[in-house]
Amino acid sequence: MYCFFLSEGSDCIKANAQSCGECIQVAEKCGWCTDIDFLKQGESKSARCDELQSLITKGCTKAKIENPRGSTSINKNKAVTNRKKDMAEKLKADQITQIQPQKLTLNLRSGEAQTFKLKFKRAEDYPIDLYYLMDLSFSMKDDLENVKNLGTDLMREMKEVTSDFKIGFGSFVEKTVMPYISTTPARLLNPCTSTNNDTCTSPFSYKNVLKLTENGKEFNSLVSKQQISGNLDSPEGGFDAIMQVAVCGDAIGWRNVTRLLVFSTDAGFHFAGDGKLGGIVLPNDGKCHLENNMYTMSHYYDYPSIAHLVQKLSDNNIQTIFAVTEEFQPVYKELKNLIPKSAVGTLSSNSSNVIKLIIDSYNSLSSEVILENGKLPEGVSITYKSICKNGWVGTGENGRKCSNISIGDEVSFEIAIKSEKCPPQGKSETITIKPLGFTENVEIVLNFICECECSKDGKPLSEMCHNGNGTFECGACRCNEGRIGRLCECSTDEVRTDDLDANCRKDNGTDICSNNGDCVCGTCECKKRENPEERYSGKFCECDNFNCDRSSNKLCGGHGRCECRVCICDANYTGSACDCSLDTSTCLAANKQICNGRGTCECGVCKCTNPKFQGPTCEICPTCSGVCAEHKDCVQCRAFDTGEKKDTCERDCSYFNLIRVKDRDKLPQPADQSYPLSHCKERDANDCWFYYTYAVRNHTEREVYVVDTLECPAGPDIIPIVAGVVAGIVLIGLALLLIWKLLMIIHDRREFAKFEKEKMNAKWDTVRHLFLLKNKLKQTEFAIQ
């Protein structure tokens, strides 16, 4: 059975690949069939490029499918260093390994990612270089006093972290042009105001005071000799100084170890574009311009941009600690968010807490590892997944980093690199991945799979390609420039001519390639369908595999395949839409007969020949009398010698064999028999039930199995009935008597109440007459007097 649906393989077909190399660059799911006989008539070369399963379905064997895969190989894999601080033999920085492996080679197939694992382990007693860059504008006067002893004090504290520590010092003020400083001669000599009688050094942009050294006392000595300077505006030129510290590696003395830059100030900063105020319009070139340890081009180049600064700090593996006063914390925290591997600490008003700030910031920076990759070639992408302490897993941007790493902790990263296309000429590329702030990196060589292995065996100027007009490779012709066609048989100048088009018209008709293809060099190349499983074929593209008859909305009923608009049915199916099943199992009735012996089985459906019968297996007869009612009288007369046919039983009821059984359990059951039978339950004239089973064996022999005892209803029980009637009469009499008595009581009570009322009325009249008589006597007596 064939199912036609839109699959991912359509991308491979849409690419219209003309060679194996073009095909495998479309997507990793695309393969190329190298079988010479794979293409059907009317199909173009690009039909060889398809999704793998689709190629197999179309008849290309796995052995003939070109589908190269990418690979990963490790070239340098030195184990990470297990170094202890108290080891007698001290390792140099270049002898310490914190990331593994160090070099890999990836062979990339377009669309297929190659994944590898990187391991990082923070080494103990790793060397540190720290450069202290200080703002020496006038507002930092009291801070300078506290920094003068920084060298020896910091050396002592850092011994707890590493036995190999170097420190350097630099200072900055501002660009030496208006309006950043006053350019009057007096102010150039002493920019401090005359009211406080302070002596300041001339303003400068950046000065490298002390190259990195292990001598803390030398640091103290040189810093003690430094003097404060001054400028006019509040923001300082610190970005100029940071740029020079980053790019002047030889002058600063940076080693290939952990590099820390402490930037100390109590003010904001100028950045790119601010130089226009002083007439400086040239962008910062990001190069070293130190002469006698002084930055000499501050008046010539603008301040660097933040992005430029980020790039240079990252390129030179410098981690920045911004030690700034509380007032400018919000500004520098925003800056920190733009500069990877940087920290911000709150500097007290006189820099008295600078050592604690540096130690805390260093611990914060070193406890986090962030991976960064170099510029990727066009079309190449990279994704990260981190596996950090306690099994924490990060993806996306969080996949680049792990935090809270202590000395000796080991974390790992899973890195996937994918290429979407081949570079020009398939040239190899090299990229690097490194932990920010560390000098070590991983070198990755990217090789791109742009051609198939079979192309190595290609035969240039092959006779199979129309007299040598192409290279025969991977089962097809790769045409020379200016040639086209499946066999390179045509030049681009001959593509559209009437003579060639005539070869593409079926039966000299007007339609070129049946309007289903293009005429290329006198040969039809059929159009491709959106659904890769649907295709045109034939010399004139007159055939297709999707316009056949359908049944149940399925092509060829889902039971065949469509070839040139005709259904080729599977076994046991026939019909124009393969919707006619030759299987008769669906026509079997309960008696195991096809259509109950009363019809024929056509396409898996019964056609009943007797119009009285219907149903899926011709077993239903709505107008027929029931089997049980039909044979009731005969069974009754033969088994029990009763019923309407008692007198004619021998004549009318000898058509079946009577078999008596003791009870209903002995009657035959349908599951135990291979012939049809009916269970019956009938009632005789005495309201007695009798049970029997009617069966037809071998279509002719009729049998009746009858239970030889009747089930008759039991007679009435006279005594309970009489007792019930008597009891009912007595109860009814008692009920009537009680009702009469109740009515009499109600009547007597009403009469008594009436008598009492009349008695009270009589008594009231007597009293009234006496009262009137008394009043009359009094009136008479009064009259006499």
Side-chain angles (χ1 to χ4, degrees):
M1 185 178 74
Y2 286 72
C3 296
F4 299 97
F5 54 89
L6 189 62
S7 72
E8 292 183 351
S10 60
D11 292 336
C12 307
I13 291 180
K14 287 177 183 177
N16 199 31
Q18 297 298 306
S19 67
C20 186
E22 291 180 18
C23 178
I24 63 172
Q25 293 180 48
V26 176
E28 64 167 323
K29 60 179 174 283
C30 300
W32 178 270
C33 183
T34 61
D35 187 350
I36 298 176
D37 301 322
F38 172 71
L39 295 180
K40 294 180 173 60
Q41 192 173 36
E43 288 186 315
S44 64
K45 281 188 293 185
S46 61
R48 293 181 178 273
C49 182
D50 205 345
E51 196 264 338
L52 302 181
Q53 189 56 47
S54 180
L55 289 175
I56 294 173
T57 302
K58 292 177 182 178
C60 189
T61 61
K62 286 185 177 180
K64 296 264 180 101
I65 296 177
E66 192 77 10
N67 181 33
R69 313 312 301 174
S71 61
T72 299
S73 58
I74 299 175
N75 307 116
K76 187 177 181 182
N77 194 28
K78 186 179 178 182
V80 292
T81 302
N82 294 314
R83 185 189 189 205
K84 298 295 182 182
K85 186 177 178 182
D86 54 359
M87 289 176 62
E89 182 182 356
K90 298 297 181 182
L91 298 176
K92 295 180 180 179
D94 57 2
Q95 296 176 311
I96 299 173
T97 302
Q98 296 184 108
I99 190 166
Q100 178 187 6
Q102 295 78 40
K103 185 174 181 179
L104 303 96
T105 298
L106 305 185
N107 295 316
L108 298 179
R109 160 88 185 268
S110 293
E112 180 188 24
Q114 292 300 313
T115 303
F116 56 93
K117 198 168 186 177
L118 284 187
K119 184 192 302 181
F120 178 85
K121 184 174 183 180
R122 185 180 165 195
E124 187 176 348
D125 197 27
Y126 196 75
I128 298 173
D129 285 351
L130 186 146
Y131 191 84
Y132 195 90
L133 183 60
M134 185 175 181
D135 177 6
L136 284 188
S137 59
F138 187 79
S139 59
M140 293 287 287
K141 180 179 179 181
D142 53 349
D143 299 79
L144 181 59
E145 293 299 322
N146 286 308
V147 175
K148 287 180 178 179
N149 295 320
L150 177 65
T152 53
D153 293 344
L154 190 57
M155 281 283 185
R156 183 173 60 253
E157 293 293 334
M158 292 299 287
K159 288 294 182 184
E160 298 297 324
V161 178
T162 178
S163 60
D164 189 356
F165 177 70
K166 285 189 175 185
I167 188 170
F169 185 82
S171 59
F172 66 92
V173 180
E174 186 55 277
K175 287 186 180 294
T176 55
V177 295
M178 282 286 289
Y180 312 109
I181 66 167
S182 175
T183 56
T184 60
R187 289 296 181 89
L188 284 174
L189 293 175
N190 182 11
C192 300
T193 59
S194 57
T195 56
N196 50 28
N197 296 321
D198 286 312
T199 302
C200 299
T201 187
S202 298
F204 57 92
S205 177
Y206 162 67
K207 181 194 301 181
N208 179 27
V209 178
L210 175 65
K211 188 176 182 178
L212 290 164
T213 178
E214 297 176 349
N215 191 340
K217 292 181 179 179
E218 183 182 3
F219 180 93
N220 293 350
S221 174
L222 283 173
V223 173
S224 298
K225 297 176 183 178
Q226 299 306 302
Q227 288 182 302
I228 292 296
S229 185
N231 62 316
L232 295 179
D233 61 342
S234 176
E236 315 293 3
F239 277 16
D240 271 343
I242 293 176
M243 178 61 78
Q244 293 304 301
V245 171
V247 299
C248 298
D250 293 336
I252 304 301
W254 291 119
R255 296 178 296 167
N256 206 17
V257 298
T258 297
R259 300 173 178 179
L260 299 179
L261 170 61
V262 179
F263 181 83
S264 175
T265 184
D266 64 350
F269 49 82
H270 284 295
F271 54 91
D274 289 354
K276 293 179 181 179
L277 295 172
I280 303 172
V281 295
L282 284 178
N284 194 287
D285 65 351
K287 296 180 180 179
C288 181
H289 297 287
L290 291 185
E291 293 182 12
N292 296 323
N293 287 319
M294 295 289 289
Y295 179 39
T296 58
M297 300 297 284
S298 68
H299 64 289
Y300 190 76
Y301 288 117
D302 192 7
Y303 302 99
S305 67
I306 294 175
H308 197 183
L309 214 55
V310 168
Q311 177 193 346
K312 292 301 180 181
L313 289 171
S314 176
D315 291 345
N316 292 281
N317 304 308
I318 297 173
Q319 303 176 63
T320 311
I321 300 171
F322 295 105
V324 298
T325 55
E326 188 171 2
E327 177 187 359
F328 288 94
Q329 284 287 306
V331 174
Y332 282 90
K333 282 183 178 178
E334 289 296 326
L335 181 61
K336 168 191 172 296
N337 294 333
L338 301 174
I339 302 179
K341 291 294 280 185
S342 63
V344 177
T346 303
L347 188 68
S348 62
S349 59
N350 59 4
S351 298
S352 58
N353 68 331
V354 67
I355 292 180
K356 184 178 185 305
L357 185 154
I358 292 173
I359 297 295
D360 291 345
S361 298
Y362 168 73
N363 288 332
S364 174
L365 289 172
S366 60
S367 67
E368 183 176 57
V369 58
I370 303 175
L371 294 187
E372 178 190 55
N373 54 267
K375 184 179 179 182
L376 298 174
E378 185 180 358
V380 174
S381 60
I382 186 168
T383 57
Y384 295 86
K385 177 183 176 183
S386 57
I387 300 95
C388 306
K389 288 177 64 175
N390 303 319
W392 187 87
V393 176
T395 56
E397 280 304 307
N398 289 327
R400 291 175 173 266
K401 62 183 179 181
C402 283
S403 302
N404 301 318
I405 302 173
S406 303
I407 292 174
D409 286 343
E410 185 174 291
V411 297
S412 60
F413 298 86
E414 289 182 2
I415 302 173
I417 298 180
K418 182 166 69 171
S419 172
E420 297 298 340
K421 63 179 183 179
C422 280
Q425 290 83 43
K427 187 177 67 173
S428 295
E429 299 280 356
T430 300
I431 63 172
T432 58
I433 297 176
K434 68 175 183 177
L436 278 175
F438 294 87
T439 58
E440 299 175 66
N441 62 45
V442 180
E443 181 182 330
I444 304 172
V445 178
L446 305 179
N447 295 324
F448 300 90
I449 301 175
C450 301
E451 287 292 345
C452 300
E453 282 294 319
C454 57
S455 63
K456 296 179 180 178
D457 300 325
K459 298 177 180 178
L461 307 178
S462 172
E463 287 298 319
M464 298 183 69
C465 301
H466 197 268
N467 300 322
N469 286 318
T471 300
F472 189 79
E473 61 179 40
C474 304
C477 287
R478 177 182 282 191
C479 299
N480 296 337
E481 187 175 355
R483 304 295 298 188
I484 56 175
R486 274 174 62 169
L487 300 177
C488 311
E489 66 273 25
C490 192
S491 71
T492 53
D493 299 332
E494 301 171 340
V495 174
R496 292 292 180 187
T497 66
D498 292 339
D499 291 340
L500 291 175
D501 286 351
N503 295 328
C504 298
R505 293 188 177 97
K506 184 179 181 181
D507 299 330
N508 294 322
T510 58
D511 294 336
I512 294 178
C513 300
S514 306
N515 288 327
N516 295 324
D518 298 315
C519 186
V520 180
C521 300
T523 303
C524 284
E525 287 194 0
C526 302
K527 295 177 182 177
K528 298 183 179 68
R529 300 276 297 177
E530 183 71 20
N531 186 335
E533 299 296 337
E534 298 178 355
R535 56 187 181 273
Y536 294 106
S537 60
K539 181 179 180 181
F540 302 100
C541 302
E542 72 279 12
C543 295
D544 63 60
N545 65 347
F546 54 88
N547 272 322
C548 290
D549 290 343
R550 294 176 178 265
S551 177
S552 300
N553 203 30
K554 293 181 180 179
L555 191 68
C556 297
H559 302 298
R561 66 184 186 276
C562 180
E563 290 187 3
C564 204
R565 303 185 179 184
V566 176
C567 284
I568 307 299
C569 299
D570 297 338
N572 290 328
Y573 285 93
T574 186
S576 63
C578 300
D579 53 351
C580 182
S581 174
L582 301 178
D583 184 9
T584 60
S585 61
T586 57
C587 295
L588 289 178
N591 59 7
K592 305 301 181 183
Q593 288 185 311
I594 292 178
C595 299
N596 197 30
R598 296 185 173 92
T600 59
C601 185
E602 299 178 8
C603 299
V605 178
C606 282
K607 303 292 184 183
C608 302
T609 54
N610 189 333
K612 292 172 56 179
F613 291 88
Q614 57 185 258
T617 53
C618 302
E619 292 180 281
I620 301 173
C621 181
T623 60
C624 297
S625 60
V627 172
C628 296
E630 180 182 352
H631 303 290
K632 170 187 172 182
D633 294 336
C634 284
V635 173
Q636 188 177 357
C637 76
R638 290 191 58 183
F640 306 106
D641 199 23
T642 59
E644 295 180 1
K645 292 189 178 182
K646 176 182 177 181
D647 298 333
T648 60
C649 190
E650 186 175 349
R651 185 191 69 194
D652 298 336
C653 301
S654 59
Y655 57 88
F656 61 82
N657 297 326
L658 182 70
I659 303 171
R660 298 178 182 272
V661 296
K662 293 294 183 183
D663 52 54
R664 280 184 285 171
D665 293 339
K666 302 297 183 181
L667 293 174
Q669 302 298 319
D672 302 330
Q673 308 299 327
S674 60
Y675 48 85
L677 50 83
S678 300
H679 285 297
C680 299
K681 177 183 177 182
E682 297 293 337
R683 179 182 290 176
D684 63 11
N686 298 320
D687 285 337
C688 294
W689 294 98
F690 60 95
Y691 298 88
Y692 66 94
T693 297
Y694 180 83
V696 179
R697 191 196 298 272
N698 299 326
H699 308 297
T700 56
E701 187 178 347
R702 304 181 182 187
E703 295 179 345
V704 173
Y705 294 81
V706 63
V707 179
D708 58 4
T709 57
L710 297 170
E711 287 188 4
C712 298
D717 194 343
I718 302 299
I719 294 176
I721 293 173
V722 172
V725 171
V726 172
I729 293 172
V730 172
L731 290 174
I732 292 171
L734 289 173
L736 293 173
L737 184 62
L738 288 172
I739 291 170
W740 176 81
K741 184 65 177 175
L742 180 61
L743 292 174
M744 292 302 296
I745 291 171
I746 294 170
H747 179 266
D748 291 345
R749 286 184 177 179
R750 285 180 177 175
E751 291 296 322
F752 181 75
K754 183 177 179 182
F755 169 76
E756 287 291 324
K757 183 177 180 181
E758 291 175 351
K759 183 179 178 181
M760 289 295 295
N761 290 337
K763 200 179 282 189
W764 167 254
D765 289 341
T766 302
V767 173
R768 183 171 175 273
H769 286 309
L770 289 174
F771 177 76
L772 293 172
L773 181 61
K774 185 178 180 180
N775 286 342
K776 191 173 182 180
L777 289 174
K778 284 182 179 182
Q779 291 174 359
T780 305
E781 185 180 353
F782 179 77
I784 295 173
Q785 290 178 357

